[in-house]
Amino acid sequence: MKRRNTWWLVAGLGALATLIGCAASTSSGGGGGTADVQINKDIAYDPPTNLDHWQYTITHTDGTAQVVTLRSAGDKVIDGKTYTRLQIGTVPTMVNDPSASYLEVWAQPQGTTVIVAGGEVHYNALGLPPGTPDMTLNMTPPLALETNLPVGVPQSITGTGSILLGDPKTAVPVLETATGIVTLVSTTETVQTAMGPKTAAHYTGAVTILDQPASGDLWTVSGLGVVQASGTWPGLPGNVKDAILGIISAGGTAMDGDHTVASQEGMLTTSSTKFKLDTYDIDGGIYADKNTHANMLLELRWADPEKAKTATPPPVTTEFGTTMGYFPSTQVDSPISVLHPDENGKGYHFWTSLVNQAAKNEPGGPETTYHIYATFTGGADAVRASGQLNYHSLKVK
């Protein structure tokens, strides 16, 4: 039993390294966590301000890959302080979702530091009722992780956590201490990602818990979060250790009156052929108001800047629809981008589709879903897909 504690704590800390880069994007209003931070040339990483969900692929040493979601799932108050609940994995789409398998970390940014209070593991490993964590970790005191480090200078980290294995209402806490080293290797490293090449800050680190080592690397991009991570965790189940995580897409949600405005951006390639922006994923179920029009906008642009200046349409099929049907749409070659106004006037072609529709004739109750799908159909050159969906949700806030 002691060894299982170690596995999950190491797994949680490994995932924590991935999560901290995105923690600050989830303050109230979908951002603003860095408003009081003095950003200067010495700061390697300032957190994203308008993102609250990401998609990644995890590639294992045996070549298998899976897509996981990282998202903000609301707030948690601990000892009078508010932390963001960050979930990564197959995240729940309903209360006590039996198919969910994920890690949840409680963290909150303070300037360039991320304060971590603990988290939960939901792996369905102990046969507990859905929604009950297999393990709960409470950091005592909360762990402060600084991102603005001197380049090339190793920094020591020590954290003590109270572990509850099984139902936290009845489990007996066990105290564990982890020690580690983290180093900022570079602030200007180029990383090839599914969203194109990015200039990233590169961190490397190692942690030891009960003589069990774990090590990894993390690449973060200012304003976007974690774009790549890799790690080795000896002693973990074989399908978890020696994994590489890479970003596929990122997006954010905000409120405009009683409407939800959701955005998503990703890169379409031969290895990442699907783009999706769906109210089902945003709301965690079928809650969109079928009687109120939804505005759905999709912009496609060749990722290569020079090719983006040509009138060659990208090889992408699109679909705008609901739970039970779809809406006709037309793709227009436009010199103007709504979603990337900073690129206007540079000669780029934006292949734009706009749908403003409701699903009033759909059978059943007042709820439906709205979605924007794009599928890459071939070619060697990548296409950037950017979408925005403005709709009314009936989900109780």
Side-chain angles (χ1 to χ4, degrees), residues 34-304:
T34 59
D36 298 324
V37 179
Q38 182 64 43
I39 302 299
N40 58 55
K41 63 186 175 114
D42 297 322
I43 293 179
Y45 170 72
D46 61 299
T49 56
N50 296 305
L51 302 176
D52 58 22
H53 60 274
W54 298 256
Q55 279 193 317
Y56 296 88
T57 55
I58 298 179
T59 305
H60 306 288
T61 49
D62 62 3
T64 60
Q66 66 186 107
V67 176
V68 298
T69 298
L70 168 60
R71 73 174 184 189
S72 163
D75 295 331
K76 184 178 181 68
V77 177
I78 303 172
D79 294 333
K81 297 182 178 180
T82 301
Y83 298 87
T84 298
R85 297 169 53 219
L86 293 164
Q87 298 175 341
I88 185 168
T90 304
V91 298
T93 59
M94 65 183 76
V95 176
N96 300 330
D97 187 348
S99 64
S101 179
Y102 63 100
L103 289 156
E104 178 172 306
V105 174
W106 309 318
Q108 189 63 26
Q110 290 185 3
T112 60
T113 301
V114 180
I115 309 299
V116 182
E120 297 175 338
V121 177
H122 292 257
Y123 278 169
N124 302 317
L126 300 179
L128 300 172
T132 305
D134 296 300
M135 188 200 79
T136 304
L137 171 65
N138 297 298
M139 300 301 296
T140 52
L143 180 63
L145 298 171
E146 176 59 59
T147 63
N148 183 23
L149 304 175
V151 175
V153 181
Q155 305 291 311
S156 298
I157 296 176
T158 300
T160 300
S162 174
I163 298 174
L164 299 168
L165 184 61
D167 190 335
K169 296 177 181 178
T170 58
V172 178
V174 177
L175 211 61
E176 301 281 7
T177 297
T179 59
I181 296 290
V182 62
T183 304
L184 175 58
V185 178
S186 169
T187 62
T188 56
E189 194 163 313
T190 300
V191 180
Q192 298 297 327
T193 78
M195 294 182 69
K198 303 293 181 182
T199 301
H202 177 195
Y203 297 86
T204 185
V207 63
T208 299
I209 312 161
L210 292 178
D211 298 323
Q212 173 66 64
S215 62
D217 291 80
L218 185 74
W219 289 264
T220 67
V221 172
S222 177
L224 181 58
V226 173
V227 295
Q228 187 170 298
S230 62
T232 299
W233 301 283
L236 285 172
N239 65 339
V240 177
K241 66 181 179 181
D242 299 323
I244 298 174
L245 180 146
I247 194 167
I248 302 174
S249 63
T253 55
M255 293 303 297
D256 182 10
D258 63 351
H259 276 231
T260 300
V261 181
S263 61
Q264 188 82 6
E265 182 174 317
M267 203 70 71
L268 294 170
T269 67
T270 53
S271 59
S272 180
T273 61
K274 302 291 185 181
F275 172 88
K276 180 175 74 166
L277 179 55
D278 197 322
T279 64
Y280 186 94
D281 300 325
I282 299 162
D283 289 334
I286 303 174
Y287 293 103
D289 183 357
K290 76 176 188 181
N291 295 308
T292 301
H293 277 226
N295 289 291
M296 294 170 273
L297 171 65
L298 176 67
E299 292 182 352
L300 303 173
R301 201 210 84 176
W302 289 105
D304 178 75

